[in-house]
Amino acid sequence: MTTLLAHVCGVKNVYTCMIRLYAVYHLHNQPLYDLAMWIYAGVIWLYVTEMLVWKTVRLREGSIALATAGPAFVWMFLQRGWYLH
């Protein structure tokens, strides 16, 4: 990992966190809700491909991201009708 890549990952984490915070406080806003779901799907896609395709991340390293993004995505999908009525 280079310093530049570390900074890019840090900035990505900040803006995705801000989107998720806005989505939490505006749960009935469909575009924000969808954007938050896409962010979780993107995290899942990133770590699964890094583990299975590129083999740059071990299961041990990617498990925390998958353990948080996976249930969050499933919960948002299952509760979509409740929050967006």
Side-chain angles (χ1 to χ4, degrees):
M1 179 176 265
T2 66
T3 305
L4 175 62
L5 189 54
H7 290 151
V8 168
C9 288
V11 168
K12 179 210 55 100
N13 287 338
V14 169
Y15 76 73
T16 57
C17 177
M18 295 302 295
I19 291 169
R20 284 181 274 188
L21 283 173
Y22 273 94
V24 165
Y25 286 106
H26 302 285
L27 280 175
H28 302 296
N29 185 329
Q30 184 176 354
L32 276 176
Y33 196 93
D34 291 342
L35 188 57
M37 282 187 68
W38 277 111
I39 287 173
Y40 285 122
V43 169
I44 294 166
W45 175 259
L46 172 71
Y47 279 95
V48 167
T49 58
E50 290 295 332
M51 286 188 299
L52 301 177
V53 176
W54 307 112
K55 301 192 188 325
T56 55
V57 174
R58 296 177 298 203
L59 179 61
R60 182 177 184 186
E61 297 163 336
S63 62
I64 292 183
L66 294 176
T68 56
F73 180 82
V74 170
W75 176 262
M76 289 183 76
F77 179 77
L78 293 175
Q79 299 301 315
R80 183 180 179 81
W82 175 259
Y83 291 115
L84 300 176
H85 40 306

